[in-house]
Each structure stands twice: as C-alpha cells, then as structure tokens.
Amino acid sequence: MTDTQWDTYEVFHQSKKGDPHIHVGSVHAPDPDMALQMARDQFARRLACVSLWWPDNEGHCGTDYQDENFFARTTDKSYRDPKGFDAPLKEPSHG
Amino acid sequence: MAELPAGIPEPPLRRLLLAMADDELILGHRDSEWTGHAPILEEDIAFSNIAQDELGHSLIWYALHEEISGRTPDAMAFERAWNDFTCSRFVTYPKGISPTRLSAVPVRRSRTGATHGTHTEFAHRAQRGGREDHPEEAYHLLHVKGLLTRLGDATEESHRRMQAGVVAAFPQALGLFEHLEGEEELVGGGRVSGHGFPSG
C-alpha cells in the first residue's frame, strides 16, 4: 500500500529581526515550497512575522528578508489578534 | 464628497469601484464555502485565510466608493438586492462548479484605480488601496499556482479532472475582462490602469 501521508516540516518563527527563531509547530506538505505556504498561513497569520525557517531533510529552508511582501499584512487584521474584552465601566441597571 | 482628479468622469469611476468591491466581497464569501472541505487542515486554514483577505479588500474599494456615492460599505454589502450587485458572474458560482475557479482568486478586475499625474487626496487613497491589495493578491496567486500545478500533475485522474475544470471554467472566466459601461473613458485615457493582475 502506498503511503499517502505527506512529510512533516517543523516551523520556526521570528517576530522581528534580531529576535531568535522560535519553534511554533509543524505542518504537513508534499514538498518544501508548499510547506512554506502552509507555514505562512498557520503561523504568520496572527503573529507579526519577518522570517520563517522550515528545515527539511536535505538542508535548511529559510525565507529571505528581501521579500517583505510575503508577510505583508496590508489590511486591518486586528480582529485576528487575541485580546480580551473591555469590561463595562458601570453596573447595568436593573429596573 | 471627494474631489476627483481632473478629467475623471464620476459615473464610470463609481461603477468601476463598485464592481471591484463586489467582486472581492462575493468571491470572499464563495471562497469561505471551502472552509471545512480541504483535504488537510493546513489547506483549510490557508484557504479560509484567503477568503478573509478578500473581504478586507472589498472594504478598501467600498470605502473609496463611499467617497463618491455617500453610501457606506455596510449599506452596499448588506442592504442591496441580489440583482444590484455588479460583480463578475464568474465569482458568483458556488464552490465545486469547477476546481479551477480557484484561479479566479487573483485574476479578476484588479485595476489600481490610480491616476497619472493627479494629486488629489482621492487619487492618493486609490493608489494606496492598490498597494494594500497587491501584496496579498500576489500571495494568493502563488498559493493557487502551487495547488493548480500539483493537482494537474499528480495522477492521471487528477490531471483529467483539472483539465475538465479548465475547459468548463475558461469561457466563464473571460467575463472577468468584460468592460463596464463607460470604462473605456477611464482606461483608454490612461486614467486608470488596465486589466489583469500584475505578475507576482
């Protein structure tokens, strides 16, 4: 029987230049190119991101800082940021 | 009301902005129908993400449209009859009509609305809208290219299905390039950039 399971790629995420790359999880993909796209959408969708690493068996894969558009968040995505709700300042009146 | 750049006729510009916004809105909704149907979780999230991006882009163009028409994005998105929408027919088809509808994501009315040699606030905002829309559309194009190529090349069966999809979708897709009423005045005069999405 053929194994249809795709390869697993571990993903390392960098929030801004100079910060360490931090392991954030893994993605399944048929090849390194698709792995990068999956990694972008899983792990750079909410958190600000300037670089991803997704090492494969052959060597190291990392994004290029020159390609800024790749991680661009051009429209307002604040609705994706995890945050709490504002508590009402006054107790609601009853009656 | 916005001060339009000199020489820009208002009705065609209003129609163009509305058509671009409607394309984005309807395509965003149609794309969201894929949520829960992708073969793997990663693609499910990726494609839902693209759907959300499209809704964000629709707001860019609806907001510019409001500058001219005075009608709010909410009013345009939620308070119109279905037959008042001016999107391309292609983006309205339900998912599953053809796998190649995926390719409609980046290829669509994608004119920047930018104008040459004009410096009104409106022109600047239109240019900014194009710049905000562009990087995300470039990524969408990259993503669907990856999918379409791999699905087309994977097996004999997948190739057959994708080819059938292309044959079915292609004539419909040409509707994306139909001119709107009065659009020649905008495009022909070099007022607004022409059809098609810049390669990316």
Side-chain angles (χ1 to χ4, degrees), chain A residues 28 31 37 41 74 77, chain B residues 42 49 132 136 143 150:
Chain A
H28 296 94
D31 54 51
Q37 295 190 22
D41 283 322
T74 49
K77 303 255 194 297
Chain B
E42 284 88 335
N49 190 35
E132 288 173 352
E136 289 184 348
H143 189 81
R150 285 165 180 80

Side-chain angles (χ1 to χ4, degrees), chain A residues 6 27-28 31 33-34 37-38 40-42 45 69-70 72-75 77 79-80, chain B residues 40 42-43 45-46 49 52-53 56-57 60 131-132 135-136 139 142-143 146-147 150:
Chain A
W6 285 348
V27 292
H28 296 94
D31 54 51
D33 286 346
M34 286 305 278
Q37 295 190 22
M38 297 304 183
R40 175 199 181 272
D41 283 322
Q42 312 312 303
R45 190 168 52 96
N69 276 350
F70 189 74
R73 288 176 61 167
T74 49
T75 54
K77 303 255 194 297
Y79 61 89
R80 292 180 184 171
Chain B
I40 57 163
E42 284 88 335
E43 182 53 36
I45 292 172
N49 190 35
Q52 282 186 327
D53 286 349
H57 300 163
I60 295 175
R131 282 200 302 274
E132 288 173 352
E136 289 184 348
Y139 175 73
L142 183 72
H143 189 81
L147 285 179
R150 285 165 180 80

Side-chain angles (χ1 to χ4, degrees), chain B residues 66-111:
Chain B
E66 181 184 9
E67 296 276 313
I68 306 176
S69 70
R71 300 196 61 191
T72 65
D74 276 355
M76 299 317 284
F78 299 120
E79 295 171 13
R80 278 186 298 159
W82 66 270
N83 50 1
D84 286 340
F85 280 80
T86 58
C87 48
S88 324
R89 195 84 176 265
F90 193 44
V91 301
T92 67
Y93 289 105
K95 83 165 170 46
I97 198 122
S98 134
T100 47
R101 223 276 305 275
L102 287 176
S103 57
V105 176
V107 184
R108 101 173 78 81
R109 285 179 226 283
S110 185
R111 280 140 273 180

